[in-house]
Amino acid sequence: QNDLGDETLEKALAANDPAAAACPEGTLSAHQKAQAALCAQAVDFLAVLAQAAKRVEYKLPQPLFARGRFEMNFFLAKFVAHHPVAKNGTGSPPRTPVTKLRSELRDLLRRIDRLPAVLCHRDYHRRNLMVTRRGGKPQLVIIDHQDTRLGPAGYDLASFLFDSYGTFPPARRRALAKR
């Protein structure tokens, strides 16, 4: 991050704009337009990333379903098994709900596995998007690539639009999803 500065998209989106209050209803200040442009740039880059995978031949280290199954089992063992709601008073989770959940998650993984596979960053959120200034124009640079792999189309978009580090107003989320 030192070479890129320390402005993440998270910081850029959190910056207040005192001029925004003076704008007529339904219009955006220059600052708000710049924020919207950065968000659009973040979404548009996902299409570039998806197209990049089509130009390279990949050998997957394991099928997507196998990786998803590992993550599903980890979730069931480390979260569900220890969640108070899942326990039946005996200190252990009841077999029927956990078994049913496992079956439903397997079905979901199989459906996801039929989706087109694209190159996914797999950690695509506003803290991994750095804002740089090139020629005075803000430009995003993506960092933290170690989890990049093939994955289901839409994975990174969902991660970005429903980012745990900040929310988008519903109207902006819908507009970005349509890009």
Side-chain angles (χ1 to χ4, degrees):
Q1 285 181 341
N2 290 341
D3 294 335
L4 297 172
D6 65 353
E7 185 180 9
T8 62
L9 181 60
E10 177 184 38
K11 286 182 183 177
L13 294 178
N16 288 326
D17 179 15
C23 287
E25 191 172 327
T27 63
L28 298 176
S29 70
H31 181 74
Q32 290 170 316
K33 287 178 184 175
Q35 288 177 323
L38 285 170
C39 291
Q41 193 180 128
V43 171
D44 292 347
F45 186 76
L46 294 174
V48 173
L49 195 61
Q51 291 300 316
K54 293 180 180 179
R55 293 190 296 271
V56 180
E57 207 172 299
Y58 286 95
K59 298 276 185 197
L60 286 175
Q62 58 183 296
L64 296 174
F65 178 74
R67 178 66 185 164
R69 190 172 54 234
F70 167 80
E71 291 174 354
M72 174 194 66
N73 287 333
F74 185 86
F75 166 73
L76 290 170
K78 301 297 181 185
F79 178 76
V80 173
H82 300 285
H83 195 279
V85 173
K87 295 188 178 190
N88 60 7
T90 64
S92 62
R95 296 258 330 133
T96 305
V98 172
T99 304
K100 184 174 191 267
L101 179 59
R102 183 183 314 272
S103 174
E104 289 175 6
L105 288 172
R106 279 191 183 132
D107 289 343
L108 178 62
L109 287 173
R110 285 188 184 98
R111 288 197 313 258
I112 289 171
D113 219 27
R114 289 192 296 267
L115 294 172
V118 300
L119 196 58
C120 289
H121 183 273
R122 289 181 35 105
D123 200 16
Y124 200 77
H125 57 76
R126 53 187 77 195
R127 288 187 180 174
N128 282 339
L129 297 165
M130 304 301 295
V131 180
T132 63
R133 310 279 175 205
R134 294 195 179 138
K137 184 178 178 184
Q139 180 114 18
L140 292 178
V141 177
I142 301 168
I143 61 170
D144 198 13
H145 297 275
Q146 70 269 14
D147 289 331
T148 301
R149 63 177 20 225
L150 287 180
Y155 184 97
D156 284 337
L157 180 61
S159 178
F160 180 70
L161 294 178
F162 296 91
D163 189 340
S164 62
Y165 299 113
T167 60
F168 290 113
R172 181 178 286 180
R173 184 180 293 139
R174 282 190 300 275
L176 288 169
K178 289 179 182 178
R179 291 184 74 82

